[in-house]
Amino acid sequence: MQLSYSQAVFKNFLGQAPQWFKLTIIGFLILNPILFFWVSPYVAGWALVIEFIFSLAMALKCYPLQPGGLLVIQAVAIGMTTPAQVLHEIEVNLEVILLLIFMVAGIYFMKNLLLVLFTKIITKIHSKIAVSLMFCAASAFLSAFLDALTVIAVIISVAVGFYSVYHKVASGLHQSQAHDPNSDHDLPEYSRSDLEQFRGFLRNLLMHAGVGTALGGVMTMVGEPQNLIIAEQAGWQFIEFAIRMSPVTIPVFIAGLLTCYLLEKFKWFSYGVPLPENVRQILVEFDQQETEARTRADNMKLVVQGLIAIWLIVGLALHLASVGLIGLTVIVLATAFTGVIEEHQIGHAFEEALPFTALLAVFFAVVAVIIDQQLFTPVINWVLTYEGNMQLVMFYLANGFLSMVSDNVFVGTVYITEVKKALLSGQITRDQFDMLAVAINTGTNLPSVATPNGQAAFLFLLTSAIAPLIRLSYGRMVFMALPYTIVLTIVGLLIINSGVLVEYTDMFYQMGLIEHHTLSESASPSGH
């Protein structure tokens, strides 16, 4: 039967997404102008934030770019924000965008080396607990010197490699044959249970690694973008930033590893899924075949990739250039010295990152609405009414809560800017400002692991190619992150509330590890 024009339009709208989801998005688009013009712009702004989070939660039903993009286009059209403000937010976050475009593509050209290294780890170490702790700790260490998005891109690349290897063999295909890992059609029935268990195993490792990026990212000024902004506002260098954060970050890191151990040991929250023996055997055989088939030219490619990896770590740790530009050098070096010189070969590297880059631009438009409608202003003003140690606690909690529903980079930037204004106006002392900077940094980094929208690394994982393969949905991520959220938030809160932070900071002053800053040493407040 031929569809009517209206039925055809509705069928094409958001493609294969469920009908109820399409109707929900249409409902949002009808509701928002009503709220904005006849109820309150403030209420409409919060409605948009909730609706955008909903679109992220339904990422496996429909990629969030389309529904989120429609909501944002309407928000700009009715006046919730302006194209100029959206562009400003994108310009402010240009380094993050360049990071996604170039660094993630750069990692694509190093995946052979990464697959070799991580295959050795998976096949040689039989203890799931040891592997989980290694993934978590390694992600934390790398995130302290690199950035969380780069680290999670590495882990995703490795996980996709593992999954493709097993899925191809289980489907009865040779490694050289083309195959679609998204389809289980060719999979025999006896392999399906192993595949489900393998998916659970990979979900465990990816979540441990994701939390690891948060544990390491909070420690240094290069771990997360907002850390760098906070350090600039406070006038801190790399070493001073790490020392000031250490009374909170080191106990939290230990608590995070202990949580990882307990989750695997007692199989709580869907953790503790072992690697199926059949899968291990396939990976071992794959490793042996690859090793035997590797020519001298292939070995030299691995050596070159190893040298580039060293350059990557050194370049980022010493801030020789912005992260995105270093990623561009990785692309140039990795392709020039491994024989990848055709345009279509290079183009594949950008397929993973560009959809997420577009989604991130949409997210920055939501941030523009948050700024223009001053959605966070009441919370900020309320927190500033507290004094002394309770002010630290309230800043930590407020930052944590807002980072769960928004973006931790945005929340950290807004809060440090407001606190800087309070310092310059004489509302708080320089020492209190330094303490608040620690509370803001830890507050935006730790509780934000609760949701994918809080941490860019988690959001990237949710919208990556691996998520649908291993059935990693928004709800499942929130559920699996819950024990980490509780532990990390409480440990950080207890330390800040106990006064330990103040005591250790005084001790650092006496030891000469850090110095008292004067008002004139602070950077001028930046408008965001």
Side-chain angles (χ1 to χ4, degrees), residues 161-455:
F162 285 156
Y163 187 88
S164 298
V165 166
Y166 172 71
H167 200 278
K168 184 177 285 188
V169 172
S171 299
L173 301 174
H174 190 268
Q175 286 298 336
S176 60
Q177 292 178 273
H179 126 282
D180 180 13
N182 292 287
S183 173
D184 294 344
H185 180 71
D186 295 327
L187 221 62
E189 195 62 39
Y190 62 84
S191 293
R192 293 179 187 267
S193 60
D194 279 345
L195 180 62
E196 283 304 311
Q197 189 174 332
F198 188 37
R199 284 173 174 150
F201 174 82
L202 290 177
R203 282 197 301 270
N204 288 180
L205 294 188
L206 282 166
M207 287 302 296
H208 289 315
V211 172
T213 64
L215 293 173
V218 70
M219 289 183 171
T220 66
M221 62 185 281
V222 298
E224 291 279 353
Q226 76 269 20
N227 300 18
L228 191 57
I229 295 167
I230 290 169
E232 288 174 351
Q233 290 291 334
W236 298 340
Q237 298 302 314
F238 188 92
I239 300 298
E240 181 175 1
F241 185 98
I243 291 173
R244 285 185 179 273
M245 297 297 159
S246 62
V248 181
T249 57
I250 292 177
V252 164
F253 173 72
I254 295 170
L257 291 184
L258 181 60
T259 303
C260 176
Y261 172 82
L262 293 174
L263 289 173
E264 288 294 332
K265 177 74 173 177
F266 296 104
K267 304 185 187 323
W268 293 331
F269 291 87
S270 303
Y271 289 100
V273 181
L275 177 65
E277 199 53 46
N278 289 339
V279 178
R280 183 190 299 278
Q281 190 58 39
I282 286 173
L283 293 178
V284 168
E285 291 173 2
F286 167 77
D287 183 43
Q288 290 173 345
Q289 291 170 4
E290 288 293 297
T291 302
E292 292 169 2
R294 207 171 286 133
T295 64
R296 186 168 295 176
D298 293 328
N299 287 329
M300 287 312 299
K301 287 180 182 179
L302 294 179
V303 171
V304 167
Q305 289 175 16
L307 294 173
I308 294 171
I310 294 172
W311 150 245
L312 176 64
I313 294 173
V314 172
L316 289 172
L318 299 180
H319 307 290
L320 299 180
S322 73
V323 178
L325 294 181
I326 292 176
L328 181 57
T329 67
V330 169
I331 294 173
V332 173
L333 294 171
T335 54
F337 288 98
T338 58
V340 181
I341 56 172
E342 295 184 18
E343 184 180 356
H344 74 274
Q345 291 176 295
I346 298 172
H348 291 306
F350 294 89
E351 292 175 359
E352 177 75 14
L354 287 182
F356 183 73
T357 306
L359 175 61
L360 205 61
V362 170
F363 181 78
F364 292 144
V366 176
V367 170
V369 172
I370 292 173
I371 292 171
D372 281 353
Q373 301 305 322
Q374 299 183 335
L375 301 188
F376 290 175
T377 301
V379 180
I380 293 170
N381 292 338
W382 170 63
V383 171
L384 280 172
T385 61
Y386 289 87
E387 296 180 354
N389 205 58
M390 184 51 65
Q391 192 178 64
L392 298 180
V393 171
M394 296 311 297
F395 261 84
Y396 176 84
L397 292 175
N399 275 268
F401 171 73
L402 293 176
S403 293
M404 290 179 192
V405 299
S406 180
D407 167 55
N408 56 6
V409 178
F410 164 69
V411 174
T413 303
V414 170
Y415 264 86
I416 197 65
T417 302
E418 292 298 321
V419 171
K420 191 56 167 294
K421 290 177 182 176
L423 170 65
L424 296 175
S425 65
Q427 289 180 259
I428 58 175
T429 65
R430 173 64 212 217
D431 284 348
Q432 183 69 0
F433 170 83
D434 289 337
M435 294 297 172
L436 287 173
V438 176
I440 291 169
N441 184 66
T442 53
T444 55
N445 276 292
L446 299 176
S448 59
V449 301
T451 64
N453 36 294
Q455 287 267 356

